[in-house]
Amino acid sequence: MTERVVCATEDLPPGSRVVVSVDRIEIGVFNIGGELVAIRNRCPHAGAPMCDGLLTGTVVSDGPQQRRWAHDGEILRCPWHGWEFKLPEGRSLVDPPYLLSTYEVRVLDGQVLVDTASGRGTRTRAEART
Amino acid sequence: MSAAGAARREGTELAGDDPARLATVSLETAARGGRPPACAIVDASVHVRPRSQAEFRAYLPRLWKTRRLPSGDGYYYPNPAGNHLRETYSDAGPPGSDPDLLHRHLITDGGVDRVVLHPLTLGLLPDIDLLGAVCSATNAWLADTWLGPTHDRFHGTIRVAPGDPVAAVAEIERWAAHPGFVQVGVPMQSLQPYGKRQFWPVWEAAAAHGLPVCVHADAETGVEHAPTPAGYLHTHFGHAAVAPFMFVNHLTSLMTEGVLDHLPGLRVVFADGGFDLLGPMMWRLDKDYRAMRVDMPWMTRLPSEYLAEQVRFVAHRMDGPDDAAVAGEWLSMVDADRLLVYGSNYPNWDFLPPGLVYPDAAAEARERILHGNATRLYELDRGETA
Ligand code: FES
């Protein structure tokens, strides 16, 4: 069994995050408006501690010269070079081959559980090409 | 002692102000250089001009016919090698003014199959209406003098002044259906970078007609920005070395302001250098884009990813590493065989004969640069396959 307890659900209210080290992997769990998202604490670009990043929104364009605020609270910006990753899927908005490692997470009996074996490997541009 | 005597004693020839005798570079000698390519050749950058003021003025409407035109050489940098190839001077008119001579130099003797002609139009003028009239007259003159059944190897450029977008669009509409014109030409000089919204109608019109937009350094009449933001360099050498940075400005603007996304069919050709700056510039743009995408949400890809489909550079300056071994590596790194189209810059002094186009490159890469890329860009095989 590779599920590990991260914290009690009351310690992870909406808008908060918890970072733990389990099985020698640092994993962060975010509560985004009630939805839990677990990611490896490592940016696929150059290895920054991703969970130190700002959770924010971003600007998208619906047509020429148009700007609109979107994905409020779903964009995690890397604390090193500012790349944007969209949660829950972890896809980079700025260079889509890059993807955060995400883990399966669920709640059982008031505990937040992460399956540490479920991580999808961090992808880089080079890996995505092969 | 007389001046002539002094000159003899120093072993020099005094050419006076005879431009033909000042011309250092010989077409015939240059054309023998390098390794002649095995493929067909398209020369995408050849400059032509009227034989005389009278020949040109015939195409100006009465309103402008008797107006003085600026010479266009508020050009402060005389070239020590002379401006044109020695053999292009003739009694009939200035270099690049005689269709038969040009045909002989490039096609009969030079082995080129098709030539894209690009006359210039005095850069920017303070009177935008006069500039529009000059562009219109140039296009009508080119169509009459150079394009048409007797010159089916020649293809033309629709000159427009993007500073007056309404007139520029009208001029594109006027000529787009003419089979002789294959691109729209605009000056490199501009008071605003070309991605700005005021220019969009011009690029929309070009894209709608499938005409690439070619950016080329034009004449200088004194109303453009200084060639560098810090002012003027000392010599032609310095001026020519920094001028291509303007292409970086326009290209970056077209990317960041969303023109290339808005018009996926738009093709932009930078015809006067700058290709060697592209690699480092793309590294920089790709890197910073990823941190700052939020400011350009209309950009749908990394800056470098627009190049292959939408941007071409004319190879005539042959900038790049001297060392053939390094050059090969560099060319493949910057996708040269996809992004470059050959242009000789005839009749100018820095004429590049086809034989000198990357003579050490693989045959397929040379074929693309000398023929394939331009044929696709300008759809020159449209008539042949039909
Ligand atoms: S390490 Fe995350 S963007 Fe560079």
Side-chain angles (χ1 to χ4, degrees):
Chain A
M1 189 58 189
T2 49
E3 277 195 324
R4 298 285 182 264
V5 174
V6 173
C7 63
T9 46
E10 70 247 33
D11 294 333
L12 190 59
S16 71
R17 69 186 77 172
V18 165
V19 183
V20 293
S21 187
V22 281
D23 296 347
R24 293 196 303 268
I25 305 171
E26 278 191 26
I27 292 176
V29 185
F30 292 74
N31 183 336
I32 302 176
E35 183 185 2
L36 300 185
V37 180
I39 64 166
R40 188 169 178 195
N41 190 19
R42 192 183 149 79
C43 176
H45 173 225
M50 204 57 217
C51 297
D52 286 356
L54 185 71
L55 196 60
T56 178
T58 191
V59 184
V60 298
S61 178
D62 299 320
Q65 306 169 358
Q66 304 292 309
R67 303 186 204 214
R68 176 168 62 81
W69 185 255
H71 308 310
D72 197 35
E74 297 176 4
I75 302 296
L76 186 60
R77 293 198 69 159
C78 175
W80 279 3
H81 308 109
W83 294 19
E84 302 167 289
F85 294 87
K86 186 171 171 305
L87 300 180
E89 59 276 19
R91 179 69 62 194
S92 163
L93 291 187
V94 302
D95 198 349
Y98 287 93
L99 187 65
L100 299 174
S101 260
T102 53
Y103 296 86
E104 280 166 27
V105 57
R106 64 175 180 140
V107 171
L108 188 70
D109 299 335
Q111 304 283 316
V112 175
L113 303 178
V114 165
D115 184 347
T116 57
S118 68
R120 286 183 293 157
T122 294
R123 259 189 259 163
T124 64
R125 234 178 138 66
E127 283 167 12
R129 240 182 265 126
T130 56
Chain B
M1 189 188 298
S2 73
R8 262 199 305 281
R9 210 182 53 177
E10 289 161 17
T12 58
E13 259 185 279
L14 277 187
D17 56 1
D18 175 3
R21 295 186 60 208
L22 281 168
T24 303
V25 183
S26 154
L27 169 81
E28 271 144 36
T29 312
R32 285 198 293 270
R35 192 162 64 89
C39 60
I41 301 164
V42 176
D43 184 341
S45 197
V46 168
H47 301 299
V48 293
R49 73 194 71 214
R51 285 196 183 85
S52 63
Q53 281 267 327
E55 181 176 297
F56 179 67
R57 280 179 188 280
Y59 290 91
L60 283 173
R62 180 62 194 89
L63 171 65
W64 302 109
K65 209 181 271 296
T66 46
R67 270 289 288 263
R68 271 200 71 187
L69 296 173
S71 68
D73 44 339
Y75 187 68
Y76 315 104
Y77 297 102
N79 183 331
N83 286 341
H84 299 106
L85 296 164
R86 204 186 292 159
E87 294 86 345
T88 61
Y89 292 90
S90 93
D91 293 338
S97 68
D98 180 344
D100 294 330
L101 186 63
L102 186 145
H103 192 284
R104 177 158 69 74
H105 281 160
L106 295 182
I107 295 175
T108 315
D109 296 347
V112 169
D113 294 273
R114 290 165 179 279
V115 174
V116 178
L117 304 172
H118 196 157
L120 301 177
T121 43
L122 297 174
L124 309 180
L125 293 181
D127 187 332
I128 194 78
D129 296 325
L130 176 59
L131 182 57
V134 167
C135 289
S136 296
T138 302
N139 297 331
W141 160 80
L142 190 75
D144 273 5
T145 319
W146 292 84
L147 308 177
T150 43
H151 296 298
D152 60 347
R153 308 293 195 88
F154 294 158
H155 303 275
T157 302
I158 305 169
R159 290 294 301 186
V160 302
D164 182 352
V166 173
V169 169
E171 196 61 23
I172 293 172
E173 298 297 339
R174 187 173 154 214
W175 294 105
H178 188 297
F181 287 100
V182 296
Q183 68 178 357
V184 171
V186 298
M188 176 190 82
Q189 294 90 338
S190 175
L191 299 179
Q192 292 276 330
Y194 277 148
K196 292 283 176 195
R197 293 177 191 177
Q198 73 222 51
F199 300 121
W200 284 33
V202 186
W203 315 144
E204 284 167 358
H209 291 290
L211 294 165
V213 172
C214 182
V215 186
H216 193 289
D218 203 345
E220 297 186 358
T221 53
V223 294
E224 53 285 305
H225 294 305
T228 86
Y232 292 82
L233 296 185
H234 194 150
T235 59
H236 181 89
F237 164 70
H239 181 66
V242 299
F245 286 109
M246 264 311 277
F247 298 111
V248 172
N249 301 339
H250 286 313
L251 176 59
T252 307
S253 173
L254 289 165
M255 285 175 173
T256 59
E257 316 213 23
V259 176
L260 298 184
D261 281 288
H262 172 48
L263 299 170
L266 180 68
R267 303 285 177 269
V268 184
V269 186
F270 293 106
D272 225 356
F275 183 71
D276 55 326
L277 304 171
L278 199 60
M281 199 57 207
M282 286 304 131
W283 299 334
R284 181 186 309 182
L285 290 177
D286 281 359
K287 176 175 73 67
D288 287 354
Y289 165 80
R290 290 183 284 213
M292 303 179 207
R293 183 213 63 87
V294 72
D295 270 350
M296 297 84 55
W298 37 75
M299 286 183 76
T300 54
R301 40 178 100 176
L302 289 177
S304 63
E305 292 176 352
Y306 292 91
L307 297 175
E309 275 171 45
Q310 294 185 268
V311 180
R312 296 290 178 270
F313 281 78
V314 170
H316 91 262
R317 289 169 54 114
M318 296 299 290
D319 293 316
D322 264 350
D323 180 332
V326 183
E329 209 172 308
W330 171 69
L331 287 168
S332 72
M333 207 161 74
V334 292
D335 252 358
D337 59 337
R338 286 206 287 174
L339 299 185
L340 287 177
V341 294
Y342 163 65
S344 69
N345 213 30
Y346 177 98
N348 295 330
W349 72 284
D350 51 356
F351 170 76
L352 174 69
L356 287 182
V357 177
Y358 303 109
D360 300 314
E364 313 89 82
R366 286 190 100 198
E367 191 283 332
R368 281 195 286 274
I369 296 171
L370 284 155
H371 178 255
N373 293 346
T375 302
R376 275 185 294 281
L377 176 68
Y378 298 120
E379 298 180 12
L380 296 179
D381 49 2
R382 214 170 16 184
E384 286 163 16
T385 52

